[in-house]
Amino acid sequence: MGRIDEQWLKMIAEQEQKEKQKSARSALSGENISSSIQEGELVIGDERIHFESKEVVPDRVYMFVPASFVPLPDDYAKMKYPADRRPQTIFADETLEINLTVNATNNRLVNDEMESFVKDLSTMLKRMQPNARWIGEGVREVGQHKMGFYEFTVPVLDGVMYNGIFFIELDGKGVFFGLNCMERHQEKWQPIAHGIMNTLQIVDEKAEQEV
């Protein structure tokens, strides 16, 4: 009887694990993530991630950020990001392993030319990052704006890192957003990154002047 009981308990545990994995996959589906982020809470199994809307470009762009994320300490930011490519804003989780970045640049970018910009930029990056494994690229709609994006993983000193880069045009200039994390966190945070970008709130200058 004892062995039968052990096998039965093992079967129950395996079934429970499958149900948890199924629930997690459902929670990480695109539509569910976007709506949950906007509502302020994403539930993944036993975990609850709370989100807050933060102003990341003064008066123009608001982004939902996990409430537990804090600005990345300057010393760590200087170690992780080269000075010439360091984002203006960097949020990080408590382990400092998952970073969410924002960088408003003076680089020219035209909304109607987003497709060609994505193609040109990805071609350049593939030359610059020959060891990267390219995941994909494309253009999506966020409100009245086109958002370009590309994703890849790249070897780093302590493993492999996932990078998701997203960008929009604002007043003729490029605003870049990113989420990076070690590959072991990618399954969870890659879809969350897309959910965060899908829920960007962009205030058009014309609409602002009309109010």
Side-chain angles (χ1 to χ4, degrees), residues 4-201:
I4 293 175
D5 288 343
E6 288 178 7
Q7 291 177 337
W8 180 250
L9 291 173
K10 183 179 179 181
M11 288 175 60
I12 292 175
E14 290 176 348
Q15 184 61 35
E16 289 178 347
Q17 183 62 27
K18 288 180 181 178
E19 290 297 327
K20 286 183 179 180
Q21 292 174 347
K22 182 179 179 181
S23 176
R25 286 194 295 270
S26 177
L28 291 172
S29 66
E31 289 186 5
N32 181 74
I33 284 183
S34 297
S35 60
S36 295
I37 286 175
Q38 285 184 312
E39 291 168 4
E41 182 180 76
L42 174 63
V43 180
I44 307 173
D46 298 330
E47 182 181 11
R48 294 177 180 271
I49 303 176
H50 297 279
F51 288 84
E52 297 176 344
S53 179
K54 294 184 180 292
E55 183 183 67
V56 293
V57 177
D59 300 322
R60 301 300 302 281
V61 181
Y62 298 81
M63 180 171 70
F64 286 98
V65 177
S68 60
F69 279 34
V70 298
L72 187 68
D74 288 341
D75 291 345
Y76 195 85
K78 290 175 182 177
M79 287 191 296
K80 186 168 184 178
Y81 297 93
D84 61 335
R85 287 182 286 159
R86 189 172 304 139
Q88 296 161 346
T89 302
I90 308 170
F91 299 104
D93 73 324
E94 59 183 11
T95 69
L96 305 183
E97 289 189 355
I98 302 162
N99 292 180
L100 187 58
T101 65
V102 184
N103 198 29
T105 73
N106 287 318
N107 299 333
R108 177 183 176 274
L109 181 57
V110 178
N111 194 57
D112 292 338
E113 299 174 1
M114 188 65 72
E115 286 81 3
S116 60
F117 183 81
V118 169
K119 183 177 179 180
D120 292 344
L121 188 57
S122 65
T123 298
M124 179 183 69
L125 286 168
K126 287 173 183 176
R127 288 200 299 264
M128 293 173 58
Q129 297 277 7
N131 294 324
R133 182 177 67 85
W134 208 252
I135 298 173
E137 62 192 62
V139 177
R140 65 179 57 170
E141 301 286 338
V142 178
Q144 301 299 314
H145 290 255
K146 290 183 178 181
M147 172 178 282
F149 70 92
Y150 53 87
E151 300 173 282
F152 61 92
T153 59
V154 64
V156 292
L157 288 176
D158 51 350
V160 176
M161 178 173 286
Y162 160 77
N163 289 272
I165 310 297
F166 307 79
F167 37 93
I168 61 170
E169 175 268 332
L170 197 66
D171 303 334
K173 308 293 184 181
V175 182
F176 289 75
F177 309 84
L179 187 142
N180 63 70
C181 63
M182 297 307 290
E183 192 175 39
R184 62 181 175 273
H185 301 301
Q186 181 183 344
E187 183 178 4
K188 171 181 170 182
W189 283 96
Q190 181 181 1
I192 292 177
H194 283 266
I196 290 173
M197 298 309 150
N198 285 340
T199 56
L200 279 182
Q201 298 171 323

